[in-house]
Amino acid sequence: MSATFHLAAAGAGEHRPLIITLFGLFVVATLIITVWAGRQTKDAADFYAGGRQFTGFQNGLAISGDYMSAASFLGIAGAIALFGYDGFLYSIGFLVAWLVALLLVAEPLRNSGRYTMGDVLAYRMRQRPVRTAAGTSTIVVSIFYLLAQMAGAGVLVSLLLGITSDGGKVAIVALVGVLMILYVTIGGMKGTTWVQMVKAVLLIAGTLLITILVLLKFNFNVSDLLGKAAENSGAGASFLEPGLKYGVSATSKLDFISLGIALVLGTAGLPHILIRFYTVPTAKAARKSVNWAIGIIGAFYLMTIALGFGAAALLNREDIIASNKAGNTAAPLLAQAIGGGPDSAGGAILLAVISAVAFATILAVVAGLTLASSSSFAHDLYVNVIRRGKTTTEQEEVRAARWATVFIGAAAIALGALARDLNVAGLVALAFAVAASANLPTILYSLFWKKFTTQGALWSIYGGLISSVVLVLFSPVVSGKPTSMFKDADFYWFPLENPGLVSIPLGFLLGWLGTVLTKEEADKGKYAELEVRSLTGTGAH
């Protein structure tokens, strides 16, 4: 481990009471918000959709808070710091993905469903099999996304508190899991939405502060910043050109294409983003919320240039890797460096503030993910599959969602402990690939293809889900490399780190194939009703 990193750890240790205080203040403040919102949660509509009382701006802010995750703040900064131009591709992909969500799914999905993605898919098809598939897919995608947030939390808090043991890191992951369970079970969608709004404001403010301070170091000359980053990276001019990570071989080039497809198409299939469209009262508000989200998220991703390239310019590559092999601590270490260094009060304060913002980011996103998966379990699986729509009260349904939150949180803690050393941006890209493979084809076919059938939906969801998960399990992400989840094992045979290139087209193909091979006729009358509902919102809620 490098001397600089030792100094960073020492600096953090001297000011650890300040760091713990800032963390504690944020946790207490968000728990107060959650309890306040929980007291206003009276029925299922409040728990799942916040009573549909949020404005377009509020929901846009919450969507931003939900979307700008640990992958955005920690993972992208680290990827840029280590791989330059190729790392910045994550920022571009995450932002462009919103155009797909805006143009294809935001308004029709809000108009067509009630609480979950399963509402839309099951409207014109057989309820039980389709809701089972939709609920399963939602939970799997959410858990993949949760892995990234848990990994980010473990790395971040370990850096600040000087925890180096594996047991300590696992304990941190468990703490995050417990907090997210509290947020969802107590506050529901109302509490989660307010936490996400607060987090979005904090994240934009913190990132803006770092951006200004980094640019100030270079007299606001971006060219000088990029030049210094290239020089300091050890890669020279190639640091600012495509190919440092994804141009080394033919396989890495295919991996880049796979990553790009997954990022651009994945957002429109992410359950925790889709359910946010149900929290607004009208389709107009849904469109407005996405417009606000695009503006806020776009501004943030522009600032990742300063975060990533600033870290490359002002920190040594070896120090970043010594702190975390995947580069996830580049942004906090950059904050410490531009604040005056590890020995200064300014460096410690800025490190504490930015790390608290990053922790806020993680907590808000895991709450949204857990809410999406627990809602899908309760509304799709428990009410409509297990109880066959015969649940007695809304309180029973909400109680089932709260219990589901506990079990999903436990699973996320266990898996997050295994994934703590992987790059969080890469983990999120896997979640995007699974969402784009299993959810997006079925959503688009349901909304826009009148011949689409139940068998087509099942083939699409299960085919996309199984293929993407299997390819991930047998990819270098899980085994075969020093950066894999299981470093000492080697059972991978799929060469790409992201399965999107194979699994996304397969999801679309299986949806079409399942439909044309079935003997059942699509209910064209139901499709006509769905079409009117998706365009006008008539009868949706």
Side-chain angles (χ1 to χ4, degrees):
M1 190 175 293
S2 70
T4 304
F5 178 61
H6 274 305
L7 286 173
E14 293 173 8
H15 301 277
R16 199 152 286 150
L18 171 65
I19 294 169
I20 294 173
T21 300
L22 283 173
F23 269 71
L25 285 174
F26 173 78
V27 171
V28 170
T30 51
L31 284 174
I32 290 171
I33 293 171
T34 301
V35 171
W36 166 77
R39 290 179 177 175
Q40 301 180 52
T41 300
K42 306 299 182 185
D43 53 24
D46 286 335
F47 186 85
Y48 292 138
R52 298 189 178 87
Q53 298 172 349
F54 293 100
T55 65
F57 171 71
Q58 288 176 327
N59 194 46
L61 198 58
I63 287 174
S64 304
D66 213 356
Y67 192 70
M68 295 184 298
S69 64
S72 301
F73 192 60
L74 300 177
I76 291 178
I80 296 174
L82 297 181
F83 302 107
Y85 179 93
D86 281 10
F88 185 59
L89 292 173
Y90 281 101
S91 294
I92 299 170
F94 284 144
L95 179 57
V96 172
W98 269 106
L99 297 178
V100 179
L102 173 62
L103 296 175
L104 292 180
V105 303
E107 183 178 349
L109 198 75
R110 183 263 162 210
N111 288 343
S112 305
R114 192 177 176 205
Y115 299 134
T116 67
M117 177 183 72
D119 290 336
V120 179
L121 303 184
Y123 182 77
R124 48 184 286 232
M125 298 170 193
R126 298 199 307 274
Q127 291 274 320
R128 295 187 72 205
V130 172
R131 284 192 183 274
T132 300
T136 302
S137 177
T138 296
I139 292 170
V140 172
V141 172
S142 297
I143 287 177
F144 262 92
Y145 212 118
L146 279 168
L147 286 180
Q149 312 311 314
M150 295 299 195
V155 166
L156 179 70
V157 184
S158 298
L159 169 70
L160 292 174
L161 301 185
I163 295 173
T164 57
S165 67
D166 288 340
K169 292 177 182 178
V170 171
I172 292 167
V173 170
L175 172 63
V176 175
V178 170
L179 285 173
M180 83 179 178
I181 290 169
L182 288 175
Y183 287 152
V184 176
T185 54
I186 296 173
M189 178 59 85
K190 285 186 176 180
T192 300
T193 299
W194 280 106
V195 169
Q196 287 165 345
M197 284 192 278
V198 170
K199 167 256 171 153
V201 172
L202 290 175
L203 182 60
I204 290 293
T207 308
L208 181 61
L209 174 62
I210 296 296
T211 298
I212 292 172
L213 291 176
V214 167
L215 291 177
L216 193 61
K217 288 272 188 181
F218 296 90
N219 297 316
F220 292 89
N221 189 320
V222 177
S223 179
D224 286 350
L225 166 62
L226 297 178
K228 178 62 176 177
E231 177 187 339
N232 203 41
S233 69
S238 61
F239 190 73
L240 305 178
E241 299 172 355
L244 196 61
K245 178 177 174 62
Y246 294 111
V248 178
S249 64
T251 299
S252 64
K253 291 177 182 177
L254 288 175
D255 224 343
F256 164 64
I257 296 172
S258 188
L259 172 68
I261 295 173
L263 293 181
V264 170
L265 298 180
T267 297
L270 290 174
H272 69 298
I273 298 298
L274 298 179
I275 65 170
R276 292 235 54 90
F277 298 135
Y278 299 129
T279 64
V280 291
T282 64
K284 181 179 180 181
R287 289 194 303 273
K288 186 178 290 185
S289 65
V290 177
N291 288 334
W292 274 110
I294 289 174
I296 296 167
I297 293 167
F300 170 79
Y301 283 130
L302 280 176
M303 290 188 287
T304 59
I305 296 174
L307 290 178
F309 287 107
L314 300 173
L315 302 172
N316 291 326
R317 179 184 175 90
E318 292 76 17
D319 296 334
I320 297 172
I321 295 174
S323 174
N324 179 258
K325 292 179 181 178
N328 293 325
T329 54
L333 290 176
L334 172 65
Q336 186 181 55
I338 61 176
D343 293 327
S344 67
I349 291 172
L350 206 53
L351 172 65
V353 168
I354 295 305
S355 298
V357 168
F359 195 63
T361 296
I362 292 166
L363 289 177
V365 175
V366 296
L369 287 162
T370 309
L371 180 63
S373 51
S374 61
S375 297
S376 187
F377 173 84
H379 186 64
D380 292 324
L381 297 179
Y382 179 73
V383 172
N384 289 288
V385 177
I386 298 172
R387 296 297 301 270
R388 298 174 182 266
K390 298 177 182 177
T391 184
T392 53
T393 63
E394 288 190 345
Q395 284 71 26
E396 182 182 349
E397 183 176 342
V398 171
R399 189 161 55 248
R402 286 176 168 145
W403 275 111
T405 299
V406 175
F407 290 117
I408 290 165
I413 290 169
L415 293 172
L418 293 173
R420 61 185 179 273
D421 290 329
L422 300 180
N423 182 274
V424 291
L427 285 171
V428 163
L430 294 181
F432 272 59
V434 177
S437 303
N439 295 345
L440 184 61
T442 317
I443 292 171
L444 295 182
Y445 281 146
S446 294
L447 291 173
F448 303 113
W449 188 20
K450 65 181 178 182
K451 295 182 179 180
F452 195 47
T453 63
T454 299
Q455 180 171 295
L458 297 179
W459 282 32
S460 181
I461 292 177
Y462 287 127
L465 185 65
I466 293 170
S467 63
S468 57
V469 172
V470 167
L471 292 178
V472 168
L473 289 176
F474 293 99
S475 75
V477 171
V478 175
S479 72
K481 289 186 176 182
T483 55
S484 300
M485 185 180 295
F486 298 104
K487 303 176 182 62
D488 299 326
D490 186 358
F491 50 82
Y492 87 92
W493 48 261
F494 183 66
L496 305 182
E497 294 186 359
N498 192 290
L501 186 61
V502 176
S503 58
I504 295 173
L506 189 60
F508 279 98
L509 175 63
L510 289 172
W512 171 82
L513 194 61
T515 297
V516 299
L517 292 180
T518 186
K519 294 181 179 179
E520 70 175 302
E521 288 287 333
D523 190 334
K524 295 181 181 178
K526 276 286 188 181
Y527 174 75
E529 291 178 19
L530 180 64
E531 189 174 33
V532 171
R533 177 178 286 198
S534 68
L535 293 174
T536 65
T538 303
H541 307 298

